[in-house]
Amino acid sequence: MQVPRYAHGSRVPGWDDPVDLTKDPAPIPDPATTPVPDDLRAQIEAAMAKYPDRRSAVLPALFAAQRLHGWCSPEAIDQVACVMRLTPGYLTAVATFYDMLDTKPVGRHRVYVCTNISCSLNGADELYERLHDAVGDDDPDINLRHFECLGACDIAPMASVDGVYVGPIELDEVDELIADVRGGRPPLERKQLRYRPYAESLPMDSGARDQAAGMPHAATADASLPPAPTSYGAEMAAPDRRVGDPDRSSGGTTQGRDAPGPTAPIEQAPEQFDEREDPA
């Protein structure tokens, strides 16, 4: 299957906007002429208070500004720069490096479809195409995009919907997912990662919760599966027994059984030093 890629070879847009070297560098904004919303200022100052170097708070500060403005607009950058006493150029360099910070207007709902290897092998490319058909090219409220890896291979194919991990998503669930996003409802709540396999927040018993999450309930688990080991038992009580050594109790060997291995050198007690043996 042909994977859609940009002209530079990647499945993600990349950094294609050159720097305008003809512009003078912007100074640190003047607090007297740069109004900053009180709530945003409080969030930025709280983040700065956590670090000895205020520049360590740049990411949470930019995310706070993005939540307020919808994207890291020039106004948002100036407000963060004013509070943190940094140049807008410094903050713009950070914002353009991290692709979860938007330097252009995007839809307020972020739907990121993982298209890395595990998800791709499980149908993520078809999932993205189906979502794209459902959303369209001109929906101003939904920011749909590929994502190189979201680190949730166990629920492939999956997507992050406004930071909520959802999966595995079937193709026939796409319309329901988009309807949830547009309606302001939790997206495919039964498929959310936080409810797999246990969740304390759902008001239901464990069997119903497992069923909602698509997990087998303990009462209906396959009885043919071998029981999980509970302890090493006698093997742990015999420190001189090794895999392949004779089993004194049965006349056989412990080959293939759980038994402790040899003690690592770092765990062995150091040899006692006898001053009488000192050649000096």
Side-chain angles (χ1 to χ4, degrees):
M1 176 175 48
Q2 183 66 32
V3 177
R5 296 180 181 275
Y6 288 86
H8 48 72
S10 176
R11 289 178 289 181
V12 295
W15 302 277
D16 296 325
D17 296 330
V19 176
D20 186 356
L21 299 178
T22 64
K23 295 175 61 176
D24 293 331
I28 296 174
D30 185 353
T33 58
T34 308
V36 181
D38 292 339
D39 183 57
L40 177 59
R41 180 185 295 277
Q43 292 183 62
I44 296 174
E45 290 177 344
M48 292 169 59
K50 297 179 180 179
Y51 304 99
D53 187 336
R54 66 182 186 280
R55 287 172 293 185
S56 299
V58 164
L59 284 177
L62 288 173
F63 272 113
Q66 179 168 278
R67 284 193 299 268
L68 176 64
H69 294 274
W71 61 296
C72 290
S73 63
E75 179 186 8
I77 293 287
D78 282 348
Q79 290 175 353
V80 176
C82 177
V83 178
M84 297 194 70
R85 310 309 298 152
L86 298 170
T87 64
Y90 180 89
L91 296 175
T92 300
V94 175
T96 53
F97 180 82
Y98 292 97
D99 61 358
M100 286 184 288
L101 290 169
D102 300 301
T103 53
K104 294 180 180 179
V106 295
R108 63 189 180 94
H109 293 297
R110 292 170 166 81
V111 180
Y112 299 157
V113 181
C114 180
T115 52
N116 213 310
I117 183 65
S118 297
C119 285
S120 195
L121 290 173
N122 283 277
D125 299 295
E126 293 88 349
L127 174 62
Y128 177 82
E129 293 301 327
R130 185 70 63 88
L131 283 165
H132 183 269
D133 292 342
V135 173
D137 292 318
D138 53 357
D139 191 319
D141 212 31
I142 296 180
N143 175 24
L144 174 66
R145 51 163 292 190
H146 294 279
F147 206 92
E148 195 62 22
C149 182
L150 286 166
C153 306
D154 57 322
I155 58 171
M158 56 82 61
S160 169
V161 183
D162 291 331
V164 176
Y165 277 22
V166 182
I169 304 174
E170 305 293 338
L171 295 180
D172 59 5
E173 295 174 325
V174 166
D175 290 339
E176 180 185 354
L177 172 63
I178 296 302
D180 287 342
V181 173
R182 287 174 172 158
R185 298 184 296 272
L188 288 182
E189 190 167 18
R190 66 185 180 278
K191 290 290 189 78
Q192 292 181 14
L193 178 61
R194 56 184 168 179
Y195 298 142
R196 295 176 57 93
Y198 304 107
E200 300 299 332
S201 57
L202 280 181
M204 55 178 70
D205 62 29
S206 60
R209 181 166 56 243
D210 290 345
Q211 184 178 3
M215 303 295 291
H217 182 42
T220 60
D222 189 350
S224 65
L225 295 176
T230 56
S231 69
Y232 285 113
E235 286 84 0
M236 292 300 288
D240 61 335
R241 185 179 299 172
R242 302 290 180 260
V243 173
D245 287 348
D247 186 342
R248 298 179 179 86
S249 62
S250 62
T253 68
T254 59
Q255 186 67 39
R257 299 169 58 189
D258 287 328
T263 304
I266 196 171
E267 298 172 348
Q268 294 175 351
E271 296 181 1
Q272 296 297 324
F273 180 73
D274 191 342
E275 295 182 354
R276 292 174 297 179
E277 299 178 1
D278 187 353

